[in-house]
């Protein structure tokens, strides 16, 4: 009997929680085996990898999101993931910097 191959997403052991951040409904997915975190934005349907901070989620690079969504669960925390977590950024910070730049011109 053949066993269907799990998708990369389904290879993780997810713990999920629903929350609101800045009024926006989100679903956080935390893999209990490898510690990777993703957020689904209810309003847009967009899913992306995140670094979890004390008061907010910092989005990781599109490259990290694509790689983590493509790869299966490694089953443990990876040292390489520490490098990936350094790709974090806050879209709100980018918007504020762009606004400040425009005002100074």
């Amino acid at each position: 009997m053949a066993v269907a191959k799990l998708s990369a997403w389904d290879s993780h052991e997810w713990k999920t929680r629903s929350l609101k951040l800045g009024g926006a409904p989100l679903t956080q997915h935390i893999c209990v085996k490898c510690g990777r975190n993703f957020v689904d934005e209810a309003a847009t349907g967009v899913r992306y990898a995140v670094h979890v901070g004390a008061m907010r989620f910092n989005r990781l690079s599109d490259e990290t999101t694509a790689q983590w969504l493509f790869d299966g669960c490694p089953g443990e925390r990876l040292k390489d993931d520490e490098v990936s977590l350094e790709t974090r950024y806050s879209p709100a910070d980018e918007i504020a910097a762009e606004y400040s730049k425009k005002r100074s011109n």
Side-chain angles (χ1 to χ4, degrees):
M1 177 176 183
V3 176
K5 184 180 179 218
L6 288 176
S7 71
W9 183 259
D10 291 332
S11 70
H12 293 271
E13 190 176 320
W14 296 115
K15 177 180 168 186
T16 61
R17 66 182 186 142
S18 298
L19 54 128
K20 285 190 178 186
L21 196 60
L26 304 171
T27 302
Q28 179 187 10
H29 304 272
I30 309 115
C31 179
V32 298
K33 294 191 290 186
C34 69
R36 291 179 176 175
N37 281 269
F38 288 87
V39 164
D40 289 340
E41 292 181 351
T44 63
V46 174
R47 173 178 288 159
Y48 48 86
V50 295
H51 171 269
V52 179
M55 299 295 287
R56 65 181 180 180
F57 296 108
N58 290 306
R59 195 168 175 165
L60 300 183
S61 70
D62 291 342
E63 293 81 12
T64 296
T65 294
Q67 188 65 46
W68 285 10
L69 286 171
F70 179 78
D71 291 344
C73 179
E76 63 184 2
R77 291 188 184 271
L78 300 178
K79 286 188 179 199
D80 287 349
D81 283 359
E82 293 301 320
V83 174
S84 296
L85 291 172
E86 294 301 317
T87 69
R88 67 183 178 256
Y89 68 97
S90 171
D93 292 345
E94 287 184 353
I95 292 167
E98 187 64 28
Y99 177 76
S100 178
K101 183 179 170 183
K102 286 180 182 179
R103 290 199 65 195
S104 66
N105 287 336

